[in-house]
């Protein structure tokens, strides 16, 4: 089973700044934990700060992989192009946000992605990624 974890802009800064919102662990470290938690899965991680590269990655894997866990960062609230890509691909996507976006600024309350995703997990910290993968695993059985 192949699952892509796809992170958008600024998520490469996790663990370096704003620990009160995003925690103090880097995503690379957390991804190693995820791989040990799901040793039988083919897990891939990709992060980009560039909208077009995120689109290219969705197009690349979105007809072959079994699931995509997407934290689009701030593009969640701005990108119709990424929303269109999620709608165009056949691989199911789960939207994840580390922070509870609904308890933050109003501009973070709207997501262009949510209606195109099979589910949304917000505010549970990095554990949201694990929960999304658990869901894909459960659905495949
Ligand atoms: O809560 C989330 O996961 C977000 O997707 C994170 C995005 C934010 O724009 C969304 O509204 C919610 C921002 C990621 C920035 O990550 C940083 C990490 C450390 C230091 C600075 C930014």
């Amino acid at each position: 089973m192949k699952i892509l974890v796809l992170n958008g802009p600024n998520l490469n800064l996790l663990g370096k700044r704003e620990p009160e919102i995003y925690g103090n662990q880097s995503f690379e470290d957390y991804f190693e934990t995820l791989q040990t938690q799901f040793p039988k899965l083919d897990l891939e991680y990709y992060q980009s700060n560039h909208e077009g590269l995120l689109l290219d990655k969705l197009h690349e894997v979105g007809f072959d992989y079994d699931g995509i866990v997407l934290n689009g960062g701030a593009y969640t609230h701005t990108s119709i192009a990424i929303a269109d890509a999620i709608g165009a691909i056949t691989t199911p996507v789960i939207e994840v946000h580390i922070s509870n976006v609904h308890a933050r600024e109003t501009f973070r309350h709207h997501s262009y992605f949510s209606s195109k995703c099979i589910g949304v997990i917000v505010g549970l910290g990095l554990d949201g990624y694990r929960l999304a993968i658990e869901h894909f695993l459960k659905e495949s059985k």
Side-chain angles (χ1 to χ4, degrees):
M1 202 180 165
K2 288 175 98 165
I3 293 177
L4 172 70
V5 176
L6 183 58
N7 274 347
N10 294 311
L11 286 156
N12 54 311
L13 297 177
L14 279 185
K16 297 192 179 119
R17 307 286 293 269
E18 302 194 56
E20 64 288 357
I21 302 175
Y22 300 113
N24 50 23
Q25 192 173 20
S26 74
F27 200 85
E28 286 74 11
D29 284 352
Y30 176 67
F31 189 68
E32 282 184 23
T33 310
L34 273 181
Q35 285 177 306
T36 58
Q37 284 173 333
F38 299 101
K40 293 186 180 151
L41 292 186
D42 189 353
L43 284 181
E44 179 183 337
Y45 171 55
Y46 183 78
Q47 187 276 333
S48 178
N49 294 317
H50 302 276
E51 187 175 16
L53 292 177
L54 294 167
L55 287 168
D56 289 346
K57 195 67 186 175
L58 287 167
H59 296 172
E60 180 193 321
V61 311
F63 299 90
D64 299 318
Y65 282 34
D66 302 291
I68 298 171
V69 182
L70 171 65
N71 185 345
Y75 285 143
T76 305
H77 319 298
T78 63
S79 178
I80 295 169
I82 294 176
D84 283 347
I86 298 168
I89 62 179
T90 53
T91 298
V93 179
I94 297 178
E95 177 181 351
V96 168
H97 297 287
I98 298 164
S99 64
N100 179 359
V101 284
H102 301 291
R104 300 182 64 191
E105 302 96 321
T106 313
F107 65 82
R108 295 186 204 276
H109 296 183
H110 177 257
S111 165
Y112 281 102
F113 304 167
S114 300
S115 65
K116 317 277 182 181
C117 292
I118 62 160
V120 181
I121 299 171
V122 304
L124 302 183
L126 290 172
D127 201 36
Y129 293 86
R130 181 189 63 80
L131 291 166
I133 294 167
E134 290 280 10
H135 179 79
F136 284 130
L137 197 53
K138 187 169 146 256
E139 287 299 295
S140 74
K141 284 178 181 163

